[in-house]
Amino acid sequence: LLSLLLFAVAFGVYFVVYHTNIFVVKQFEVVGMMKQKNIADIIQSTQVPFRSSLFRISLKGVREQILRDPWIREATVRRVPPDVLWIHVTEYEPVALCLLDRLYFVSEEGVIFKPMEQEKVRDLPVMTGLQKSQPELIQKSLALFHLFETEFAVGQMGISEVHYDNVKGFS
């Protein structure tokens, strides 16, 4: 009798959570410092229909959908019962461009994360002569940008390019 009662309660909880309109997505809460993307972009990238069952949503799947956008560095997705899907995003912050087969944005961590397309770009320095498979040289190029902008008088004018040559080194 006790087993039957526990089964009935468990089934009732399951039915309420997964098959009623009590726990459905009625609100998306998107937080984080966003310069390139807006809240609507993030919500659209989740591909979660409004009024979906909150507990049938794969949080891992939603996170993976958001991370497909090359501007997004990190995403966290949580359920907030009864009706909120909470999303925190962190964007990459471009600090330089790298010329490979075309221009790519480079983050402060040295991650080449997105080809430059039609973005409005502020004056970013350019790295040339590098390969994507040379992360240590990308880090050294970023260190040179930082060194020149903070330590030398050239920092007032800015530095426009660091070029690497296998024979001559950095220039």
Side-chain angles (χ1 to χ4, degrees):
L1 189 60
L2 181 60
S3 296
L4 187 58
L5 180 62
L6 288 175
F7 177 76
V9 168
F11 181 76
V13 169
Y14 167 81
F15 186 80
V16 167
V17 169
Y18 288 99
H19 296 289
T20 65
N21 289 334
I22 296 173
F23 297 105
V24 294
V25 177
K26 294 179 184 172
Q27 180 180 349
F28 292 88
E29 187 174 329
V30 180
V31 296
M33 294 296 296
M34 294 176 283
K35 294 180 181 176
Q36 300 297 326
K37 297 294 169 182
N38 59 42
I39 293 172
D41 294 333
I42 302 300
I43 292 171
Q44 185 177 7
S45 72
T46 66
Q47 297 183 349
V48 172
F50 193 68
R51 300 196 65 82
S52 298
S53 173
L54 190 64
F55 291 99
R56 287 185 176 210
I57 296 170
S58 165
L59 298 183
K60 181 181 176 187
V62 170
R63 180 178 179 273
E64 288 171 358
Q65 285 297 119
I66 295 169
L67 290 175
R68 286 184 180 191
D69 187 313
W71 281 106
I72 305 300
R73 184 179 73 189
E74 186 55 53
T76 305
V77 182
R78 294 191 178 130
R79 296 177 185 99
V80 182
D83 59 3
V84 178
L85 189 64
W86 183 87
I87 302 165
H88 180 272
V89 294
T90 306
E91 289 182 337
Y92 281 108
E93 179 70 30
V95 296
L97 297 169
C98 185
L99 181 61
L100 300 170
D101 57 329
R102 59 185 180 161
L103 284 173
Y104 287 83
F105 289 107
V106 180
S107 72
E108 190 169 326
E109 300 84 18
V111 176
I112 297 173
F113 64 91
K114 182 186 182 311
M116 188 172 132
E117 295 166 331
Q118 296 179 345
E119 291 86 1
K120 294 177 182 169
V121 181
R122 61 178 196 260
D123 191 23
L124 293 174
V126 179
M127 301 175 203
T128 59
L130 300 172
Q131 302 295 320
K132 198 170 187 174
S133 61
Q134 299 173 309
E136 68 284 345
L137 294 178
I138 293 169
Q139 289 294 338
K140 286 181 182 179
S141 295
L142 289 173
L144 283 171
F145 287 141
H146 183 68
L147 177 69
F148 276 91
E149 289 179 355
T150 58
E151 299 298 325
F152 299 113
V154 81
Q156 295 172 352
M157 296 181 296
I159 187 167
S160 63
E161 180 181 349
V162 168
H163 178 75
Y164 179 76
D165 183 271
N166 287 333
V167 176
K168 297 178 184 177
F170 287 100
S171 60

